Amino acid sequence: MVIKLSSKSIIEIECSANHQRHLAEHDSLTNLPNRKKFFEVLNKKIGHNDTFTLFLIDLSNFKRVNDSYGNTCGDALLCVLSKTLNLNLSGLARLYRIGGDEFAILLDSVSQDDYASCIQLTNKSIEKPFSIFDQTIRVKLKIGVSTYRKDTKHINELFKFANLALHEAKKTQQQVVHYFSDLSVRADDLFDMSSRIKNALKNEEFELYLQPIFDSQQDEIHGAEALIRWPQSDGSFISPEVFIKIAEQTGDILNISKWVVLETIKHLKLLKSAGFIGPLHVNLSTRDLESLDFYEFIEPLINLDPTLSDSIIFEITEGAMMTNLDAARSMMYKLNDRGFEFSVDDFGTGFSSLSLLRELPISQIKIDQSFIKDMLTQIANYAIVESTLFLANRLNCKVVAEGIENKDLQETLTSMNCDYLQGYYFSKPINLEEFIKKYSNEDMYQII
């Protein structure tokens, strides 16, 4: 009797231990092997010096599913997708959930045939839309690939390389990218520039320049656009097109935007004391629109000085708004409720201009300089500018024409009743000292 009881207890203990081990090694939602188990298996494979291929998979726009239908629907989608993938890949490769909407596949082969079969079976899993809680959801995947021994013999590098390939797939809108060496060079450059950006913020290396915006009908200065500049010790500048794009990728952009806003507030105080009463335009990025942190940064500033919303106009590109329209709408209405106005920068270069004007609190548009530049010689460009001015007028939106480089453009756009003009014909972006010197005398408001 004692022996039987002891055997039963041992079996129960073993079952309990196995259950706990299973819980520790498997994802609670999908029941797939989890990140911990994935790296254990990866270590064993490398220890045995086996050749294999690693696939990292990410669901495109999964956040939009959660935002549109709720987290419960998102979780159900992950469960159905994982079961479908696991079933199709069974016998060829092993599927893992490594976090969120990210999965990994380990294929015990580096042959092109097996590689192609793995991609084919993965695509088979998503060729039909999924029906989740009466919602029809079509899934698209991005895949990054690296191979053991061909690309690297180190576990951390193997995972890093697949991740770099995945990011490249997302950036270039390819479904599958296999790692190539230039990706590591780019990643190193990205890390180096990110470190330099952080140090530049810390050491106050950035400067704020102003480019005036003129009222075409009144022949006087109306406002100015605040533009960040990064001067170097040799007298050169690092282009904003370079470091802003990198800052958006690394997440540094939010701190840059905060710096620009704070510096703009300082500039406004000095400008007002010099007699300047117009607004300053501040550019916002996609990340700013998606970040609650940005609103929490703005809120105490507007509480401290409610007149800020009369002195700052936020500029946002079409692309930034369309990256996550729901987030953009929410942030813009929150800021609009506090009195801030919005200007759409680079208007006309996107594919959704009309829907933006209809759905978002926009009071001004800036016609992109690519249309302005050749409007006097290109009939199509002239027609686009003319139509934009007509549309804006009907929608009660003011219009800024960017890229004015000569008198003919100034006179033509003035005759077309374009509200505001901006460009090198009037002034290039200049620092605060030059701006005050140029525009704080008796002729401060004269257009030319």
Side-chain angles (χ1 to χ4, degrees), residues 37-97:
K37 184 65 175 178
F38 167 73
F39 280 104
E40 283 179 6
V41 173
L42 211 56
N43 272 307
K44 285 180 182 178
K45 283 184 173 296
I46 288 178
H48 295 149
N49 209 26
D50 297 335
T51 57
F52 62 93
T53 305
L54 167 62
F55 301 78
L56 289 183
I57 299 176
D58 183 88
L59 274 71
S60 300
N61 298 322
F62 178 69
K63 184 178 182 297
R64 192 170 296 176
V65 174
N66 279 333
D67 291 343
S68 300
Y69 306 120
N71 291 338
T72 303
C73 184
D75 288 347
L77 176 62
L78 291 176
C79 289
V80 175
L81 174 64
S82 62
K83 286 179 181 177
T84 307
L85 277 169
N86 210 22
L87 182 64
N88 285 329
L89 292 169
S90 179
L92 177 66
R94 191 71 188 272
L95 181 67
Y96 301 80
R97 186 189 181 203

Side-chain angles (χ1 to χ4, degrees), residues 3-50:
I3 293 173
K4 287 182 180 179
L5 186 61
S6 298
S7 298
K8 184 180 179 182
S9 298
I10 290 170
I11 291 170
E12 288 176 349
I13 290 170
E14 287 180 350
C15 288
S16 177
N18 289 335
H19 179 65
Q20 292 301 318
R21 190 179 303 112
H22 180 87
L23 292 177
E25 295 178 345
H26 288 75
D27 173 52
S28 59
L29 178 66
T30 64
N31 204 36
L32 288 175
N34 60 16
R35 188 183 186 92
K36 176 177 178 288
K37 184 65 175 178
F38 167 73
F39 280 104
E40 283 179 6
V41 173
L42 211 56
N43 272 307
K44 285 180 182 178
K45 283 184 173 296
I46 288 178
H48 295 149
N49 209 26
D50 297 335

Side-chain angles (χ1 to χ4, degrees), residues 288-446:
D288 299 325
L289 294 178
E290 294 176 344
S291 174
L292 182 60
D293 186 31
F294 182 74
Y295 181 77
E296 291 175 346
F297 160 75
I298 290 292
E299 191 173 33
L301 296 177
I302 193 72
N303 288 338
L304 187 66
D305 181 5
T307 66
L308 277 182
S309 59
D310 299 324
S311 304
I312 292 177
I313 293 175
F314 288 125
E315 285 194 17
I316 308 173
T317 64
E318 290 182 66
M321 287 182 278
M322 292 309 298
T323 299
N324 188 337
L325 183 56
D326 291 336
R329 183 187 294 107
S330 175
M331 176 64 75
M332 290 174 71
Y333 272 108
K334 280 183 179 179
L335 292 170
N336 187 242
D337 286 344
R338 301 307 303 267
F340 289 100
E341 294 187 354
F342 290 89
S343 177
V344 182
D345 198 9
D346 301 336
F347 185 84
T349 58
F351 56 87
S352 51
S353 310
L354 299 182
S355 65
L356 293 177
L357 295 178
R358 182 187 64 202
E359 296 182 29
L360 300 174
I362 294 165
S363 59
Q364 183 186 99
I365 60 177
K366 299 184 79 173
I367 305 176
D368 187 67
Q369 59 184 329
S370 62
F371 299 110
I372 300 296
K373 181 181 177 183
D374 299 318
M375 64 175 285
L376 299 183
T377 56
Q378 300 289 332
I379 295 174
N381 284 357
Y382 187 95
I384 289 171
V385 172
E386 188 177 44
S387 298
T388 301
L389 288 167
F390 174 78
L391 176 67
N393 179 260
R394 296 300 295 268
L395 292 173
N396 200 29
C397 281
K398 297 294 185 181
V399 178
V400 181
E402 297 182 293
I404 310 300
E405 295 184 355
N406 55 61
K407 189 174 183 64
D408 287 343
L409 281 172
Q410 180 231 323
E411 290 178 344
T412 300
L413 286 157
T414 298
S415 69
M416 295 171 75
N417 293 319
C418 181
D419 301 289
Y420 307 118
L421 307 174
Q422 179 182 358
Y424 276 33
Y425 174 67
F426 307 111
S427 173
K428 65 179 183 179
I430 53 180
N431 64 31
L432 179 64
E433 184 179 350
E434 290 179 86
F435 191 92
I436 289 176
K437 184 178 179 181
K438 189 172 182 180
Y439 297 113
S440 63
N441 53 31
E442 290 180 359
D443 299 322
M444 175 175 178
Y445 298 105
Q446 213 166 24

Side-chain angles (χ1 to χ4, degrees), residues 53-58 103-105 115 119 141-147 158-159 161-170 174-179 183:
T53 305
L54 167 62
F55 301 78
L56 289 183
I57 299 176
D58 183 88
F103 296 84
I105 296 173
Y115 170 87
I119 297 295
L141 303 176
K142 300 298 181 188
I143 304 171
V145 186
S146 62
T147 54
L158 186 73
F159 188 78
F161 289 172
N163 214 15
L164 288 174
L166 176 60
H167 282 292
E168 182 71 5
K170 292 178 183 178
Q174 300 178 71
Q175 190 201 18
V176 185
V177 171
H178 200 126
Y179 170 78
L183 291 178

